[in-house]
Amino acid sequence: MISKIIAEDLVVKVKKAIDAVDKIVIVAHVGPDGDAMGSTLAMWHYLMTIEKEPVVIVPTPFPAFLAWLPGADCVLDYENHKEKADQLFAEAELIFTLDFNQASRMAKMADAVINAPAPKILVDHHLYPGDFAKVTVSYPEISSTSELVFRLICRMGDFSKINLAAAECIYTGMMTDTGSFTYNSNNQEIYTIISELLKIGVKKDEIYRKVFNTYSADRIKLMGYCLYHKMKIYPEYRAALITLDAEEQKQFSFQNGDAEGFVNIPLSIAGVDFSVFMREDPEKIKISLRSQGSFPANKVAAELFNGGGHLNAAGGESYISLADSIQKFEDALPNYKAFLE
Ligand code: 5GP
Ligand code: MN
């Protein structure tokens, strides 16, 4: 039995909203990851089975390792399809916003979504949701938005409408947002849900291989380079930092998503509980933070890098140079010593 986490009144509101319309747009956050793509596409497949007209629109293209997801070829990215997307937002009767809870996480797509006349339904698992949605389904204790989508569909009485494609998308989001069930994954119901997905026909080992074992040689070389030349350990603070500037990315023919997961690697070093990865983008420094135990990666992200996220997995951005961002991080490390276990 899976517990009824989502409040009944929210389930009723979502069901009514879906029943009343045909044209539904589903959006996720900038730099969509496995959970953003998994949850939006799962919702897309579900809405198709109940004969709605859904479309998934993401602010920026998704990484190549998610291109195999069923339905990914139908996803529009705002960067390359702005005109079409703007029209779809304007015509939408309902907009689902999945896997983020602040409008700013939609980057350049934010205004178009927020100003669209359609009511929004937010489904997400991050802390502190904003108030842009008519219905807010926010459960930070749930480890992925994909799991929440599964729970929501079941609660609407439609478990039988979760087809294999939707199940594969849900499993992918659950797997990627928990580091293949190595963090945020102690809730036993996760495995009850996985068992249901396996019954539908999901081949979990195959999904792992498709997501994690399809990297380019350049990415693996880049990983080696980062670990050998660019990883700095701060033993006193049980911390590690890896940085990558624009020139280095060019050298390794950097593709969207190539550095995905690098930030997790230093956590496997004995004595490291906090790991940070900084990458220089044309307009900003993109920062990923990971921790284990009770060290609050989201607090550091919020206080230093205009970001946020979960206790053990957070992100942010910095608008000063890479060198200055590194300095800022190193200067602040002593302030967080008290949070080490
Ligand atoms: P990643 O390091 O994989 O980009 O992000 C990890 C988690 O940190 C995401 O699931 C998201 O919760 C959060 N996150 C990433 N970037 C940002 C950001 O710029 N702002 C906020 N508030 N959260 C972020
Ligand atoms: Mn997520």
Side-chain angles (χ1 to χ4, degrees):
M1 232 344 233
I2 299 166
S3 22
K4 292 184 172 178
I5 303 273
I6 305 174
E8 183 65 24
D9 67 310
L10 293 176
V11 176
V12 171
K13 280 182 191 163
V14 176
K15 186 162 173 40
K16 272 192 181 158
I18 293 175
D19 284 348
V21 301
D22 287 316
K23 290 182 180 155
I24 304 176
V25 173
I26 311 160
V27 301
H29 57 78
V30 65
D33 56 8
D35 191 30
M37 293 297 292
S39 58
T40 51
L41 281 170
M43 186 60 91
W44 184 76
H45 287 293
Y46 163 67
L47 292 172
M48 300 255 276
T49 65
I50 59 166
E51 291 172 2
K52 301 292 171 182
E53 295 170 40
V55 56
V56 175
I57 306 176
V58 290
T60 53
F62 53 82
F65 67 85
L66 296 172
W68 66 272
L69 279 170
D73 50 334
C74 296
V75 171
L76 292 180
D77 74 81
Y78 199 70
E79 221 166 75
N80 293 302
H81 302 276
K82 182 177 182 311
E83 217 165 290
K84 173 88 185 141
D86 280 339
Q87 188 189 339
L88 288 162
F89 289 137
E91 290 171 359
E93 296 169 290
L94 183 64
I95 298 179
F96 275 98
T97 66
L98 302 189
D99 200 36
F100 67 95
N101 63 17
Q102 299 293 337
S104 61
R105 295 278 288 139
M106 290 185 283
K108 289 178 181 150
M109 194 170 91
D111 286 346
V113 173
I114 297 301
N115 297 331
K120 283 101 204 160
I121 295 179
L122 178 156
V123 182
D124 180 55
H125 68 136
H126 294 96
L127 291 168
Y128 316 123
D131 59 3
F132 60 82
K134 186 168 177 204
V135 181
T136 297
V137 182
S138 170
Y139 289 90
E141 70 271 32
I142 298 298
S143 65
S144 64
T145 303
S146 298
E147 179 184 335
L148 265 179
V149 167
F150 177 90
R151 287 174 179 274
L152 186 59
I153 296 172
C154 291
R155 289 289 299 289
M156 291 191 292
D158 277 345
F159 170 75
S160 63
K161 306 265 171 63
I162 300 179
N163 59 19
L164 179 57
E168 288 175 336
C169 295
I170 290 167
Y171 183 79
T172 301
M174 292 177 69
M175 177 185 79
T176 54
D177 251 26
T178 56
S180 308
F181 310 103
T182 59
Y183 52 80
N184 285 339
S185 53
N186 284 333
N187 182 346
Q188 67 184 64
E189 292 194 354
I190 288 175
Y191 306 95
T192 310
I193 293 172
I194 291 174
S195 171
E196 294 301 321
L197 298 174
L198 294 176
K199 278 184 222 158
I200 295 170
V202 164
K203 302 269 187 288
K204 64 182 271 301
D205 302 351
E206 218 171 282
I207 290 182
Y208 181 93
R209 284 201 301 275
K210 283 182 187 166
V211 172
F212 295 113
N213 294 356
T214 57
Y215 293 130
S216 66
D218 270 331
R219 177 194 139 101
I220 299 300
K221 288 179 191 172
L222 176 67
M223 185 192 286
Y225 171 79
C226 282
L227 296 178
Y228 191 69
H229 292 288
K230 303 301 305 282
M231 182 174 69
K232 190 165 172 187
I233 309 283
Y234 307 84
E236 196 187 343
Y237 306 112
R238 305 178 73 85
L241 173 68
I242 299 172
T243 62
L244 203 53
D245 67 26
E247 188 49 45
E248 291 165 325
Q249 292 173 61
K250 215 163 115 195
Q251 197 183 325
F252 289 90
S253 316
F254 188 88
Q255 301 289 313
N256 206 4
D258 269 359
E260 189 86 24
F262 286 10
V263 64
N264 294 305
I265 302 172
L267 291 179
S268 60
I269 300 168
V272 172
D273 288 327
F274 178 40
S275 171
V276 175
F277 178 77
M278 296 184 185
R279 187 174 61 78
E280 189 177 25
D281 254 0
E283 292 156 21
K284 58 178 185 256
I285 311 295
K286 178 73 190 108
I287 298 162
S288 287
L289 307 92
R290 299 289 185 274
S291 66
Q292 45 198 358
S294 58
F295 189 90
N298 51 358
K299 185 174 167 67
V300 183
E303 290 178 355
L304 299 186
F305 301 123
N306 311 295
H310 312 277
L311 185 76
N312 294 141
E317 293 173 351
S318 172
Y319 306 101
I320 52 179
S321 72
L322 181 57
D324 288 347
S325 303
I326 295 170
Q327 192 63 52
K328 186 173 183 179
F329 169 73
E330 292 184 341
D331 289 346
L333 268 179
N335 303 340
Y336 297 101
K337 203 172 173 182
F339 293 98
L340 294 168
E341 275 167 352

